[in-house]
Amino acid sequence: MTPVTQRIAVGLEYDGTDFVGWQVQRAGRSVQGALEAAVSAVADERVSVTGAGRTDAGVHARGQVAHFDSHARRTPRQWLLGINSNLPEDVAVHWVRQLDADFHARRSATARRYRYRILERKTRSALLRRLSWWRRGKLDCAAMTAAAISLLGERDFSSFRAASCQSNTPMRRLTMVALYRSDGLLHVEFEANAFLQHMVRNLVGVLVEVGRGAAPPAWAAEVLAACDRTRGGVTAPPQGLTLMGVRYPARFDLPLLPDRYRG
């Protein structure tokens, strides 16, 4: 008799500094590769893992979600303890759930939320160098907010996608942009049904140009309407970006994504 396969979902966080990104590549450490090795060790069989989002090299995650299928019989606690004991120190799993086979970490997701951190002060930080983009002067938060409002809705985000982006369509529905200051950092949060490659970092690049007074708030809408990446600003560096969480339909009963993350 063929063993029954179980679908397991996990929630994890990682420091992306020393990874080539989420996805397994020909060379370098990947988060997916580290997680697959840990899960396979616990399952005592080769296991493939699918993530909700493919974060880039240097990008962090606080609420990444992934799933895998396994014939192994383990309790959620056994999976949790076993996987964490086999993961490197810069990756940790927070929760484990057994779900029906119709759950898919990427395709079942209804929204993702990212946070970008900007350090606004005259001197660089030794402690925050891996977690923020250092800017020497204060940015105009009100102007950035005015610019961000024009980006909301279902739009063609061609001006904010990487040249190497493999998505079939540039259309995305941006449902939330929030800017606030806390602990000396300017936080910029975005929520959308999905994101294109480098989309958040390119959005931040345009907002920072507005915030430092190099362009008016209306420029953001002009860049969006152009559907041309060359019309945008710089791509913000990866270390300031964190995948904060993923939303799923209530029927899966997964840990909720809060309305606003703090800290």
Side-chain angles (χ1 to χ4, degrees):
M1 180 180 295
T2 303
V4 176
T5 299
Q6 293 182 334
R7 177 149 294 185
I8 307 297
V10 299
L12 65 151
E13 70 176 26
Y14 47 86
D15 178 341
T17 303
D18 297 323
F19 289 101
V20 295
W22 164 265
Q23 192 171 10
V24 172
Q25 300 183 30
R26 292 181 179 179
R29 299 173 73 225
S30 70
V31 181
Q32 183 183 27
L35 184 58
E36 286 181 345
V39 172
S40 297
V42 179
D44 197 24
E45 62 181 0
R46 186 178 179 84
V47 176
S48 297
V49 172
T50 299
R54 297 178 178 178
T55 53
D56 296 322
V59 175
H60 316 293
R62 182 169 174 179
Q64 175 72 282
V65 177
H67 81 263
F68 61 88
D69 295 329
S70 175
H71 298 117
R73 289 293 178 267
R74 308 284 188 269
T75 66
R77 178 174 171 78
Q78 288 172 330
W79 280 119
L80 180 66
L81 296 178
I83 293 172
N84 277 330
S85 67
N86 284 278
L87 283 171
E89 291 184 344
D90 44 4
V91 187
V93 168
H94 291 305
W95 55 261
V96 176
R97 299 282 194 279
Q98 180 179 337
L99 298 174
D100 293 335
D102 65 337
F103 174 80
H104 192 282
R106 179 173 54 83
R107 292 197 292 266
S108 298
T110 59
R112 287 92 170 159
R113 181 177 297 179
Y114 281 87
R115 174 193 286 172
Y116 197 94
R117 296 178 177 90
I118 301 171
L119 177 65
E120 303 172 291
R121 71 183 198 190
K122 294 180 179 180
T123 57
R124 62 182 176 84
S125 171
L127 298 178
L128 296 173
R129 71 190 189 283
R130 292 184 166 194
L131 299 172
S132 64
W133 182 14
W134 173 40
R135 304 290 304 180
R136 286 182 174 84
K138 284 278 188 180
L139 298 170
D140 186 338
C141 192
M144 295 171 70
T145 299
I149 291 173
S150 65
L151 304 172
L152 292 170
E154 188 159 359
R155 312 279 192 170
D156 182 334
F157 283 95
S158 294
S159 293
F160 298 93
R161 72 187 296 183
S164 57
C165 182
Q166 299 178 357
S167 177
N168 293 327
T169 173
M171 300 300 296
R172 293 293 186 268
R173 186 173 64 256
L174 186 63
T175 55
M176 186 274 288
V177 182
L179 292 88
Y180 59 95
R181 287 188 169 95
S182 177
D183 299 325
L185 293 165
L186 175 59
H187 303 266
V188 189
E189 292 193 6
F190 301 87
E191 186 168 318
N193 61 329
F195 289 89
L196 301 165
Q197 185 181 15
H198 292 177
M199 179 174 159
V200 175
R201 291 166 59 194
N202 290 332
L203 288 168
V204 171
V206 164
L207 295 182
V208 166
E209 287 294 287
V210 172
R212 70 184 187 90
W219 179 61
E222 295 172 6
V223 172
L224 179 70
C227 297
D228 180 357
R229 176 68 195 109
T230 64
R231 295 284 298 276
V234 301
T235 301
Q239 72 271 13
L241 184 59
T242 300
L243 171 60
M244 298 303 293
V246 185
R247 291 191 189 276
Y248 292 96
R251 65 188 178 88
F252 293 119
D253 194 27
L254 295 180
L256 294 176
L257 175 60
D259 288 337
R260 175 72 60 83
Y261 278 94
R262 293 290 187 182

